[in-house]
């Protein structure tokens, strides 16, 4: 797999080397067709793509969950297709942001429960859970912002996917739930992402009761970033990506990696790491270009790479 951007440069910032190493663990994104049955045959066959990937000239990639008849369930096939779309040319400097959206009235209903019955065996169940966890961590390890564009229901692993994204824009009709407890399968893995996105007591209420929360409640507690009228969902998402695309890709990659890393540290350790990253940022061509552009009252001209001054 080609490592992100300047992963081959010996001089790349230390914090970004962690991103490169993290992405490397997910393996190469193969050239398998999205419509192919990617698993061992357990998932129900489809004659259309599980996901649909597109990318604008500005570098905004949209990944559409495309199994509306199964409520965009995160089957093993869907997860592997989503993983492939995330990893596709991840090192290209033209990739600036990723939007995960959905077809149909449901964002995602979570795992395909037909895959989780005993007839398929524990090894397959482990494969499903491992792949799902890889995808959720990959979303956060990507060097560009990943935005969930949510309409309708996002439940169980679907809610987990929203919680894992850097930003989430939700339609006013969106609902979020972790209802596994009601069918005898506690949402333990969705709870990992949910518990890191919302206050503990709300997470526990959602996990213990399975009751959905509204988009407004999700906004109040930080599960989503913005709630907009349904008809404005795509437009509002585009406004965010347009703004992101005006910034330096390398600066955003550096900042995202630092933010996620420092959140796991003590306050003193976090300030120590963040201070070091700020100095690394100032040593980049793009870091100095931005400062000079501000002083000279002009628009910056970004290189989008990790070249040093």
């Amino acid at each position: 797999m080609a490592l992100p951007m300047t992963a081959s440069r010996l001089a790349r910032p230390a914090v970004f080397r962690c991103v490169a190493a993290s992405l490397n663990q997910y393996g190469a994104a193969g050239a398998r067709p999205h419509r192919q049955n990617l698993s061992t045959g357990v998932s129900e066959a489809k004659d259309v793509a599980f996901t649909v990937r597109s990318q604008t000239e500005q570098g905004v990639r949209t990944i559409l969950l495309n199994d509306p008849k199964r409520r965009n369930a995160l089957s093993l096939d869907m997860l592997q297709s989503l993983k492939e779309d995330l990893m596709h040319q991840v090192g290209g400097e033209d990739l600036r942001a990723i939007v995960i959206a959905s077809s149909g009235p449901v964002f995602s209903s979570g795992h395909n429960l037909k895959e989780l019955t005993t007839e398929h065996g524990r090894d397959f169940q482990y494969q499903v859970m491992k792949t799902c966890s890889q995808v959720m961590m990959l979303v956060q390890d990507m060097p560009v912002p990943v935005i969930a564009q949510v309409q309708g229901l996002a439940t169980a692993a679907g809610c987990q996917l929203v919680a894992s994204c850097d930003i989430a824009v939700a339609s006013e009709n969106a609902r979020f739930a972790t209802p596994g407890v009601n069918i005898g399968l506690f949402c333990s893995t969705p709870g990992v992402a949910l518990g890191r996105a919302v206050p503990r007591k709300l997470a526990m209420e959602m996990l213990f009761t399975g009751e959905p929360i509204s988009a407004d409640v999700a906004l109040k507690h930080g599960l989503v970033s913005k709630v907009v009228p349904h008809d404005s969902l795509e437009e509002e998402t585009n406004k965010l990506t347009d703004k992101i695309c005006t910034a330096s890709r390398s600066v955003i990659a550096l900042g995202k990696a630092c933010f996620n890393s420092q959140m796991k540290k003590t306050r003193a350790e976090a300030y120590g790491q963040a201070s070091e990253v700020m100095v690394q940022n100032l040593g980049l061509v793009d870091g100095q270009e931005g400062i000079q552009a501000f002083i000279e009252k002009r628009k910056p001209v970004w290189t989008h790479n990790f070249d040093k001054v």
Side-chain angles (χ1 to χ4, degrees), residues 45 57 66 96 101 131 137 141 148 168 182 260 276 282 287 290 296 309:
E57 292 182 357
N66 191 44
R96 310 297 302 284
T131 304
M137 292 187 290
D141 290 341
N182 296 325
N260 286 331
E276 173 64 25
L282 288 168
E296 296 168 10
V309 293

Side-chain angles (χ1 to χ4, degrees), residues 1-2 23 26-39 49-55 61-65 74-92 95 98-100 131-132 134-136 138-139 142 161:
M1 185 199 78
L23 286 172
Y26 300 108
R32 56 171 76 96
H34 293 186
R35 68 185 64 227
Q36 182 179 341
N37 191 358
L38 303 180
S39 71
F50 283 93
T51 60
V52 177
R53 182 183 68 237
S54 60
Q55 189 161 318
R61 177 177 302 167
T62 297
I63 303 173
L64 190 71
L65 306 180
L74 297 180
S75 63
L76 182 58
D77 292 312
M78 175 74 87
L79 288 166
Q80 289 177 323
S81 188
L82 177 56
K83 178 181 174 181
E84 178 184 334
D85 285 339
L86 288 167
M87 293 296 292
H88 178 73
Q89 296 182 351
V90 69
L95 178 62
I98 295 175
V99 175
I100 300 177
T131 304
C132 185
Q134 286 181 336
V135 168
M136 301 302 166
L138 175 58
V139 165
M142 296 294 291
L161 180 57

Side-chain angles (χ1 to χ4, degrees), residues 236-254:
E236 292 297 324
T237 305
N238 289 342
K239 288 180 181 179
L240 281 172
T241 57
D242 286 347
K243 183 62 177 177
I244 289 169
C245 288
T246 65
S248 163
R249 184 189 196 274
S250 51
V251 168
I252 284 182
L254 192 68

Side-chain angles (χ1 to χ4, degrees), residues 209-272:
T209 68
E211 288 296 309
I213 62 171
S214 67
D216 286 338
V217 172
L219 176 64
K220 178 180 178 181
H221 294 288
L223 180 57
V224 302
S225 318
K226 183 179 294 189
V227 176
V228 301
H230 180 71
D231 292 342
S232 303
L233 182 58
E234 185 173 354
E235 177 185 355
E236 292 297 324
T237 305
N238 289 342
K239 288 180 181 179
L240 281 172
T241 57
D242 286 347
K243 183 62 177 177
I244 289 169
C245 288
T246 65
S248 163
R249 184 189 196 274
S250 51
V251 168
I252 284 182
L254 192 68
K256 176 177 174 177
C258 177
F259 180 84
N260 286 331
S261 178
Q262 63 84 22
M263 288 293 289
K264 306 168 190 174
K265 301 179 183 296
T266 66
R267 182 177 61 181
E269 291 170 339
Y271 271 118

Side-chain angles (χ1 to χ4, degrees), residues 93-302:
E93 292 181 3
D94 58 341
L95 178 62
R96 310 297 302 284
I98 295 175
V99 175
I100 300 177
S102 62
S103 59
V106 174
F107 179 76
S108 176
S109 59
H111 289 298
N112 183 345
L113 295 179
K114 292 181 179 180
E115 292 186 335
L116 304 183
T117 58
T118 55
E119 66 181 290
H120 303 306
R122 296 186 68 178
D123 287 345
F124 184 82
Q125 293 166 358
Y126 274 121
Q127 185 182 4
V128 171
M129 296 303 164
K130 179 181 178 180
T131 304
C132 185
S133 296
Q134 286 181 336
V135 168
M136 301 302 166
M137 292 187 290
L138 175 58
V139 165
Q140 296 185 322
D141 290 341
M142 296 294 291
V144 298
V146 182
I147 303 170
Q149 180 179 293
V150 189
Q151 60 183 7
L153 285 169
T155 62
C159 183
Q160 180 184 4
L161 180 57
V162 175
S164 298
C165 287
D166 301 311
I167 300 172
V169 183
S171 164
E172 58 192 359
N173 72 358
R175 298 292 184 271
F176 306 86
T178 49
V181 67
N182 296 325
I183 59 168
L185 182 64
F186 197 86
C187 285
S188 294
T189 47
V192 173
L194 184 65
R196 286 161 170 75
V198 304
R200 180 178 182 273
K201 287 182 171 56
L202 177 63
M204 297 303 277
E205 179 180 342
M206 292 176 67
L207 291 164
F208 289 154
T209 68
E211 288 296 309
I213 62 171
S214 67
D216 286 338
V217 172
L219 176 64
K220 178 180 178 181
H221 294 288
L223 180 57
V224 302
S225 318
K226 183 179 294 189
V227 176
V228 301
H230 180 71
D231 292 342
S232 303
L233 182 58
E234 185 173 354
E235 177 185 355
E236 292 297 324
T237 305
N238 289 342
K239 288 180 181 179
L240 281 172
T241 57
D242 286 347
K243 183 62 177 177
I244 289 169
C245 288
T246 65
S248 163
R249 184 189 196 274
S250 51
V251 168
I252 284 182
L254 192 68
K256 176 177 174 177
C258 177
F259 180 84
N260 286 331
S261 178
Q262 63 84 22
M263 288 293 289
K264 306 168 190 174
K265 301 179 183 296
T266 66
R267 182 177 61 181
E269 291 170 339
Y271 271 118
Q273 177 183 341
S275 296
E276 173 64 25
V277 172
M278 289 285 284
V279 174
Q280 291 177 359
N281 195 158
L282 288 168
L284 298 180
V285 169
D286 277 2
Q288 290 301 313
E289 165 63 13
I291 293 173
Q292 287 300 316
F294 179 81
I295 293 172
E296 296 168 10
K297 298 181 179 180
R298 61 174 173 81
K299 289 185 178 181
V301 180
W302 306 120

